[in-house]
Amino acid sequence: MITVSAIETGKARMKTAQRVGAEGRGAIGRKIDIFRDRHWVEPLPILCFLIEHPEGRFLVDTGDTWRNSVPGYLPGWHPFYRQVQIRVAPHEEVGPRLLARGIDPATEIDAVILTHFHHDHTGGLDHFPRSRIIGPRANFAVSRGLRGMLTGCLPQRWPVWLSPELVAMDGPAVGPFPASRPVTRDGRILLVPTPGHVDGHVAVIVRGEGVTWFLAGDATYSQANLLAGQTDGVTNDPATALATLRAIRQFAAREPTILLPAHDPQAPARLAAGAVLA
Ligand SMILES: [Zn+2]
C-alpha cells in the first residue's frame, strides 16, 4: 500500500506576473513584468509531499525555512528576492511538521527527492542530515554558485554536508515523457523530466492502486494554470515550459491522475478527495 500526504510548510506570495507570464512575452520581458507589477497574489502554500511506500518513506521537496526572514539570509544585492515574500514560522518547517505526525525527520525519512533546487524547495534540508537526498543532475548544474544565486537558489545556505545523489533522466520513456528515472525497485515511484520553470526540473510520479499521483513541483503553479496552458513568469524558456504542460495533460489523459503542484492551494483538497485531472 502506498500513501501520499501533503505537508504545508508556510506561505509564499508572488507577483501576479510571476504566477502567470504574459503570453508571447520572452524570458527577459517576463522578468521586467514581475518587477513592474504592483499586484501580489494571495499567500500560497509551500507544499511538500510525504510518500509512504513499502520500500521506505520518501519526502518530495523540503519547503522553505523560518530563517528566510532573518536579515541577511537572502542576498540583499539581488532584487529578485524582493519579488517573493516567504512567511514560515519555525514550527511550520517540514521537520517539526513530520515530528507532529510521529515521524523523526533525522532518522525516519529514507530519501528526500528534490524536484529542483529553488530556495523554497531546499530550505528544509537541514532536517535530514542522514537521509539520501536525490536531485536532478541537470538542475543541480545550474543551481550552484553565482548562477544559482541569480536564479532563485541559495547554495550558500545549503547544509555543509549536502552531497546529493544526482540522477539523470536516462530511463525509458513514460507516456509523453521521453525519459524517466525509477526511484523504487518496484518502479512505482519514478521521476520524469519536466523542464521549463527551470532547466532540469523533474516531477515525481507515484503509481498507487487505481490512481496515480503526479507531484509536479513547480512545473506548473496550479491545476488552473495547467488547464489554461499558462506558463509562469520566471521561466527562461516559455516554449519548453508550455511543452511540459502539454505532456502533463497527455499523461493525465492516459491514467487517472491527481495533480499535486507545490504551490496550488487546491492540491491538498484534491489529494484528500481523490479528485483526478479530467
Ligand atoms: Zn521553483
Side-chain angles (χ1 to χ4, degrees):
M1 165 112 155
I2 303 173
T3 61
V4 176
S5 316
I7 300 172
E8 183 178 317
T9 64
K11 300 283 190 189
R13 292 180 81 196
M14 60 178 74
K15 301 283 191 69
T16 58
Q18 177 170 344
R19 176 153 66 182
V20 177
E23 203 166 334
R25 205 78 160 120
I28 304 286
R30 286 171 185 237
K31 290 180 184 66
I32 292 170
D33 290 345
I34 292 172
F35 282 100
R36 285 188 177 154
D37 190 354
R38 291 165 54 210
H39 302 286
W40 294 85
V41 306
E42 73 280 12
L44 301 175
I46 306 170
L47 296 169
C48 311
F49 293 94
L50 175 67
I51 308 166
E52 300 192 76
H53 180 284
E55 293 177 33
R57 286 199 184 91
F58 299 84
L59 182 76
V60 177
D61 291 327
T62 68
D64 216 317
T65 168
W66 68 272
R67 293 174 296 142
N68 190 290
S69 53
V70 173
Y73 182 82
L74 297 172
W77 49 267
H78 191 359
F80 175 83
Y81 291 97
R82 291 193 287 277
Q83 310 308 311
V84 175
Q85 298 174 350
I86 302 292
R87 297 285 171 90
V88 181
H91 77 276
E92 293 179 310
E93 287 195 0
V94 67
R97 291 294 202 209
L98 287 167
L99 275 174
R101 304 171 74 102
I103 298 168
D104 183 349
T107 56
E108 295 183 308
I109 295 293
D110 296 280
V112 171
I113 302 170
L114 298 173
T115 59
H116 63 307
F117 285 83
H118 274 165
H119 63 83
D120 54 326
H121 298 253
T122 59
L125 279 172
D126 308 79
H127 296 290
F128 308 97
R130 288 181 283 278
S131 304
R132 287 170 68 196
I133 311 284
I134 300 168
R137 181 179 294 279
N139 181 252
F140 187 72
V142 298
S143 300
R144 304 163 71 179
L146 183 61
R147 182 176 182 177
M149 284 187 245
L150 286 168
T151 54
C153 304
L154 299 175
Q156 73 278 32
R157 303 298 181 196
W158 293 344
V160 293
W161 46 255
L162 181 66
S163 177
E165 192 178 313
L166 297 175
V167 295
M169 298 301 108
D170 53 8
V174 174
F177 298 103
S180 65
R181 174 83 179 203
V183 174
T184 50
R185 290 185 295 280
D186 70 358
R188 284 180 176 268
I189 303 180
L190 60 148
L191 311 181
V192 290
T194 48
H197 172 68
V198 282
D199 292 347
H201 186 286
V202 298
V204 183
I205 292 173
V206 184
R207 285 182 162 139
E209 299 296 335
V211 71
T212 294
W213 297 279
F214 193 95
L215 282 52
D218 289 353
T220 182
Y221 283 143
S222 68
Q223 181 159 305
N225 280 12
L226 178 85
L227 294 175
Q230 291 172 320
T231 54
D232 66 46
V234 293
T235 177
N236 283 323
D237 189 346
T240 295
L242 189 58
T244 285
L245 297 187
R246 289 201 192 99
I248 296 171
R249 291 188 68 172
Q250 286 168 15
F251 178 84
R254 294 175 184 213
E255 54 192 280
T257 300
I258 301 174
L259 181 74
L260 301 172
H263 302 291
D264 186 339
Q266 307 303 322
R270 286 198 303 270
L271 177 59
V276 298
L277 185 57

